[in-house]
Amino acid sequence: YVILGPVFSGSVKVNMILAQQAEVPQFTGAEAADITQMGNAYIFRTSFGQQMSMPKIANYIRDSLKAKTVAVVWVNNDFGKGGRDTFTREMASRNIKVVADISTESGQVDFAADVVKAKSANADTIFVYTNEEESARFLREARKQGVNKPLIGETTLLGQKVIELAGDAVVLATGSVPRT
């Protein structure tokens, strides 16, 4: 009668076409901005998309942190690309310069080089937009390397799984969890 999930944006983009052809409603927590912009009457989002969350995060970075520069660490998949693209547009519209654009991979284990790149950019803040396990690994490495800049994220960076996996390194993370 209905499809619940999946939550990964890339998977949703593939299977939502089949659900549409079968005229079966599909509910997803995937956040890639273009999922609900494709005109599919059978897809329903259970969370805000990137087009809603990124402006709020951008305002926080500008207004609360007073940041002028940001390093962006993102996962190279549909979720990460959509978030990165939306985030960088929001930064540009607020005259905040992206001084490092660091692509990571799904399943990546070692974030030492990525943290070095982010630190070397000397940005006012670092925006982390990766999957949960990778977010935890990035936070642990950032703590290990003594990162002292705010690490900002969105729902994924602040999820329960990240908290469990990152341990005390999670204290480095700040972000926005949208509410309805």
Side-chain angles (χ1 to χ4, degrees), residues 45-179:
R45 195 187 299 276
T46 62
S47 64
F48 290 117
Q50 297 159 338
Q51 68 276 24
M52 297 292 290
S53 59
M54 294 305 170
K56 293 176 184 180
I57 292 170
N59 287 340
Y60 174 77
I61 290 171
R62 179 194 62 203
D63 301 337
S64 296
L65 299 179
K66 308 291 187 211
K68 301 292 182 199
T69 58
V70 62
V72 181
V73 179
W74 56 282
V75 61
N76 188 12
N77 62 19
D78 287 320
F79 163 74
K81 289 175 191 171
R84 178 232 174 250
D85 292 348
T86 305
F87 180 79
T88 55
R89 277 194 305 273
E90 294 298 327
M91 291 294 96
S93 72
R94 289 163 180 75
N95 296 316
I96 299 172
K97 186 176 181 181
V98 175
V99 293
D101 188 359
I102 305 164
S103 171
T104 67
E105 296 301 323
S106 291
Q108 184 171 322
V109 176
D110 185 0
F111 283 88
D114 301 300
V115 170
V116 167
K117 288 177 195 172
K119 282 177 62 175
S120 299
N122 200 27
D124 297 327
T125 189
I126 301 169
F127 179 68
V128 182
Y129 203 69
T130 57
N131 299 326
E132 290 175 322
E133 290 182 12
E134 293 83 358
S135 291
R137 291 178 190 127
F138 185 89
L139 289 173
R140 286 194 313 260
E141 185 62 34
R143 181 161 191 125
K144 180 179 171 184
Q145 291 192 30
V147 170
N148 60 3
K149 305 289 182 169
L151 298 177
I152 307 302
E154 203 242 358
T155 306
T156 307
L157 183 65
L158 304 173
Q160 184 62 39
K161 187 172 186 179
V162 176
I163 293 168
E164 292 167 6
L165 295 173
D168 63 355
V170 77
V171 300
L172 299 172
T174 304
S176 171
V177 177
R179 296 182 309 192

